[in-house]
């Protein structure tokens, strides 16, 4: 059973697995305020392996969810620099070294003429970095996920807000966590199995 | 699927075109909450298309058939079937190319530049404007690919090592075009797709039949809407917008270099790059309006694509139209001021030469017609707005015709002057490209989320913590009719 690698959380400290194969507790909330305050309360209780799922991004939760700034911009910078280098090498090598072709007495290495090529390749590889970097960091594509089998969770892409507390969290206690979530105003709490 | 609770609906009056700067106009009108947004947008993809959709698809597909026939005839016979001649070696092929690439620009402007400028009103229209971009660029790519005469050798344009030990000529603006347009197409498609992932997940979660579940499931990549996913997703989207912004400006600038880098009177002008970019946005917005006006009505999306959206687009079109008008004036001024008599002749030949009808069509359609948009009721009335947009669609095509044909047909040597007239193959391919565009667009409307649901939800009052109560308070009990709660 590989539970913790689905989310980019740190490795759980308690390695014991539960008897029944529960992946997480799923709590449903009806509005943004409810899910925000519940997430804040969970963090206050010391929970770390939990996540909020919503149909659109909710801002102001990063601290409660221990989300650290993403390295994506650096990946994009790397992509851009690679693209720029590729453009320069391509133009300089093909036009000035491998296949020199004199046009109207222009210099063989006419740098201003390479600008469009270098620019476009810089943008292209930066964009690849942004898209594929985001997918890799988000561990997508992921075609099998316990949450996606859950009927209730389908509204996470519609109009409901969910908190999932992984069973691997060291504060996790089936009964206690469920009660805590209900006390925070969850409309429903259920266990999601593998 | 979800039950709609009446207390979660916020009823916003449909009139959101007020100009009071102290008030922030509602971006979603009508009685809506998150689930009605999902419902109204997803319904289009989930139900059987209406009768008019089949008719429209049938017409578009027949035009695609015409395009295919013309292409087959062209490839098997040669580009001689076009009306191109000496000296008009470029005609409909490049006119259509520049026209279609230009159409694409509004989509990227809406999705990238307006995103960076925090113009939240873009959220309801960006998805299908981006789709329009991609389909327009598809149509555009077709023309340069076949105009080279031997399209099976089109791969020579790409820097692929080959047995001839030859490389493409990177000094040529035509090769810059290859890189600019293919990068533009790729980045636009990625931007469009990334923006669509959360909405594809919505369709996946609502899908009833197995095929739809599999298709949307694969396309949405296992998206769960986790806040950790959203965090990187938003960053990626912002970065893509920041990358697409210089890209959209560069693409039409590079296209204009095809002309401006030459020595031909009428083309050799430094104003071309900004003028082409403004013209592209002008023509692109006209096409967005042309598509949005019927789409919002026929698909019942008036709550999201509101009167304010149409009005804003009309204003952008009017603004860029004024830039285009200025560019026309500058071209004439510079021709006169240069003292270069070939240049002066080229510009006298436009309004008074044999293609004066094309020039004056362009002037009427691009400069005179859209002026009605100064009046608010013209921006709000669908018919007058459609009239202005259709004027621009026609005018921008004629603008490229005027630039290309009038400059080529009479250049430096009167002994080589000639007239150009299109053949039926030229006309067939132009019509056929519209067929291809509308076929792709109709299929998009049917199978993909036309409005960015996830983004629209973020601009609704319910999305903001405590915003719910505050918003009702500002509306007053009378406006919401909820004093009993």
């Amino acid at each position: 059973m590989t539970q913790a690698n689905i989310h980019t959380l740190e490795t759980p400290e308690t390695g014991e697995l539960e008897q029944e194969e529960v992946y997480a507790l799923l709590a449903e909330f009806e509005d943004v305020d409810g899910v925000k305050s519940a997430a804040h309360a969970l963090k206050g209780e010391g929970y770390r392996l939990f996540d909020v799922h919503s149909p659109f991004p909710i801002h102001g939760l990063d601290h409660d969810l221990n989300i650290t700034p993403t390295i994506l911009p650096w990946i994009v910078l790397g992509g851009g620099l690679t693209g720029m280098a590729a453009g320069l090498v391509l133009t300089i090598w093909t036009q000035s070294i491998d296949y020199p072709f004199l046009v109207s007495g222009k210099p063989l290495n006419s740098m201003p003429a390479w600008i469009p090529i270098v620019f476009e390749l810089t943008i292209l590889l930066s964009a690849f970095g942004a898209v594929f970097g985001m997918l890799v960091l988000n561990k997508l594509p992921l075609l099998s996920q316990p949450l996606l089998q859950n009927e209730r969770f389908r509204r996470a892409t519609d109009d409901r807000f969910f908190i999932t507390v992984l069973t691997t969290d060291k504060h996790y206690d089936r009964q206690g966590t469920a009660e805590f979530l209900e006390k925070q105003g969850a409309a429903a709490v259920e266990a999601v199995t593998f | 699927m979800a039950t709609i609770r009446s207390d979660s609906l916020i009823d916003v009056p449909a009139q959101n075109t007020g100009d009071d700067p102290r008030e922030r106009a509602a971006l979603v009108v009508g009685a809506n909450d998150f689930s009605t947004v999902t419902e109204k947008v997803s319904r289009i993809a989930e139900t059987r298309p209406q009768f008019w959709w089949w008719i429209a698809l049938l017409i578009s597909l027949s035009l695609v058939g015409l395009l295919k026939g013309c292409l087959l005839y062209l490839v098997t016979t040669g580009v001689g079937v076009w009306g191109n001649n000496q000296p008009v070696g470029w005609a409909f092929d490049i006119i259509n190319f520049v026209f279609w690439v230009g159409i694409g620009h509004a989509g990227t402007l809406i999705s990238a530049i307006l995103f960076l400028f925090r113009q939240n009103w873009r959220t309801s229209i960006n998805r299908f404007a981006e789709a329009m971009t991609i389909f327009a660029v598809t149509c555009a790519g077709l023309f340069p690919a076949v105009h080279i005469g031997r399209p099976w050798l089109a791969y020579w344009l790409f820097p692929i090592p080959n047995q001839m030990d030859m490389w493409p000529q990177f000094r040529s603006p035509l090769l810059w075009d290859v890189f600019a347009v293919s990068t533009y197409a790729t980045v636009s498609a990625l931007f469009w797709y990334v923006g669509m992932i959360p909405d594809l997940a919505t369709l996946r979660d609502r899908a009833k039949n197995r095929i739809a579940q599999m298709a949307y499931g694969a396309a949405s990549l296992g998206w769960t809407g986790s806040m950790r996913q959203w965090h990187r997703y938003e960053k990626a989207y912002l970065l893509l917008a920041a990358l697409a912004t210089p890209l959209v400006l560069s693409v039409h600038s590079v296209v204009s270099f095809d002309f401006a880098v030459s020595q031909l009177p009428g083309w050799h002008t430094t104003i071309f790059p900004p003028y082409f970019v403004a013209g592209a946005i002008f023509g692109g917005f006209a096409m967005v309006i042309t598509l949005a006006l019927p789409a919002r009505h026929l698909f019942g999306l008036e709550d999201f694509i509101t009167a304010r959206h149409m009005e804003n687009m009309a204003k952008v079109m009017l603004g860029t139209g004024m830039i285009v008008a200025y560019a026309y004036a500058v071209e004439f001024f510079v021709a006169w001021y240069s003292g270069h008599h070939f240049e002066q002749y080229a510009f006298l030949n436009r309004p008074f030469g044999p293609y004066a009808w094309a020039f004056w069509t362009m002037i009427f359609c691009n400069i005179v017609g859209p002026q009605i948009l100064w009046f608010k009721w013209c921006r709000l009335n669908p018919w007058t707005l459609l009239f202005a947009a259709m004027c621009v669609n026609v005018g921008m095509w004629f603008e490229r015709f005027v630039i290309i044909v009038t400059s080529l047909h009479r250049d430096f040597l009167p002994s080589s002057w000639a007239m150009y007239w299109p053949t039926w193959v030229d006309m067939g391919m132009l019509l056929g490209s519209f067929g291809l565009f509308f076929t792709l667009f109709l299929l998009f409307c049917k199978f993909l989320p036309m409005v960015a649901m996830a983004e629209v939800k973020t601009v609704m009052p319910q999305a903001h913590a405590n915003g719910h109560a505050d918003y009702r308070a500002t509306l007053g009990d009378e406006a919401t009719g909820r004093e009993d709660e």
Side-chain angles (χ1 to χ4, degrees), chain A residues 101-143:
Chain A
F101 193 78
L102 200 63
V103 181
S104 319
K106 289 169 189 160
L108 284 177
N109 190 20
S110 19
M111 289 299 271
W114 312 152
I115 289 174
I117 308 288
V118 175
F119 173 79
E120 299 297 340
L121 285 173
T122 307
I123 297 283
L124 183 68
L125 268 76
S126 306
F128 283 161
V131 175
F132 298 113
M134 183 273 285
L135 292 180
V136 167
L137 291 175
N138 275 341
K139 300 203 167 43
L140 297 175
L142 182 75
L143 295 183

Side-chain angles (χ1 to χ4, degrees), chain A residues 7-9 30-33 36 48-59 61-62 65-70 72-73 76 90-91 93-96 98-99 101 103 106-110 112-114 116-117 119-124 126-128 130-135 137-143 145 147-148 151 153-161, chain B residues 1-3 5 33-36 38-39 159 164-171 175-176 179-184 186-187 190-191 193-194 197-198 201-207 213 217-218 220-237 239-240 242-244 246-247 250-251 254 257 453-455 457-458 462-468:
Chain A
H7 290 276
T8 52
L9 301 176
E30 287 180 0
D31 54 29
V32 178
D33 295 353
K36 261 186 149 173
R48 284 181 64 77
L49 303 186
F50 68 100
D51 207 337
V52 172
H53 298 260
S54 72
F56 53 83
I58 300 173
H59 292 184
L61 274 174
D62 286 7
L65 292 173
N66 300 309
I67 297 175
T68 48
T70 169
L72 194 64
V76 173
L90 176 73
T91 45
W93 186 71
T94 60
Q95 308 295 298
S96 322
D98 190 47
Y99 189 60
F101 193 78
V103 181
K106 289 169 189 160
L108 284 177
N109 190 20
S110 19
W114 312 152
I117 308 288
F119 173 79
E120 299 297 340
L121 285 173
T122 307
I123 297 283
L124 183 68
S126 306
F128 283 161
V131 175
F132 298 113
M134 183 273 285
L135 292 180
L137 291 175
N138 275 341
K139 300 203 167 43
L140 297 175
L142 182 75
L143 295 183
Q145 224 280 6
L147 288 170
L148 296 180
E151 190 69 29
F153 190 71
R154 293 196 178 169
R155 286 180 76 175
T157 55
D158 179 5
D159 64 340
R160 287 302 160 96
F161 308 88
Chain B
M1 190 164 108
T3 38
R5 288 157 47 243
D33 68 354
F34 299 138
S35 66
T36 60
T38 314
E39 177 65 30
M164 296 174 287
D165 199 22
M166 258 173 33
W167 291 105
Q169 178 52 266
F170 284 114
R171 287 176 192 83
L175 200 64
W176 303 346
F179 276 73
V181 176
S182 53
T183 300
Y184 183 52
T186 312
V187 174
L190 285 174
F191 198 30
Y193 177 62
V194 166
I197 292 173
T202 306
L203 289 179
R204 168 200 68 198
D205 289 345
R206 289 169 57 94
Q213 280 171 348
S220 59
L221 307 174
W223 179 262
T224 62
S226 142
M227 222 39 69
R228 293 165 213 283
Q229 284 180 347
W230 276 121
H231 173 70
R232 300 186 189 97
Y233 174 90
E234 284 196 291
K235 187 65 87 182
Y237 198 81
L239 287 164
L240 275 174
L243 291 165
L247 188 64
S250 83
V251 176
V254 168
F257 290 160
M453 291 181 270
E455 284 188 51
K457 286 171 192 171
T458 63
Q462 291 97 323
H464 305 288
N466 299 319
H468 211 127

Side-chain angles (χ1 to χ4, degrees), chain B residues 256 259-260 264-276 323-340 342-348 350-351 359 362-363 366-367 398-400 402-404 406-407:
Chain B
S256 82
F259 304 99
L264 196 75
W267 288 2
H268 188 61
T269 315
T270 48
I271 202 174
F272 260 31
Y275 157 45
F276 268 48
I323 304 178
V324 170
Y326 169 76
Y328 291 167
V330 167
E331 277 193 307
F332 277 89
F333 169 77
V334 170
W336 166 74
Y337 189 66
S338 67
H340 184 294
F342 291 108
E343 186 82 12
Q344 287 170 342
Y345 176 73
F347 279 91
L348 281 176
R350 285 184 183 176
F359 178 83
M362 169 187 99
I363 293 290
N366 280 350
I367 298 182
F398 272 98
E399 178 190 301
R400 279 72 182 235
V402 167
I403 291 172
I404 292 167
T406 64
S407 298

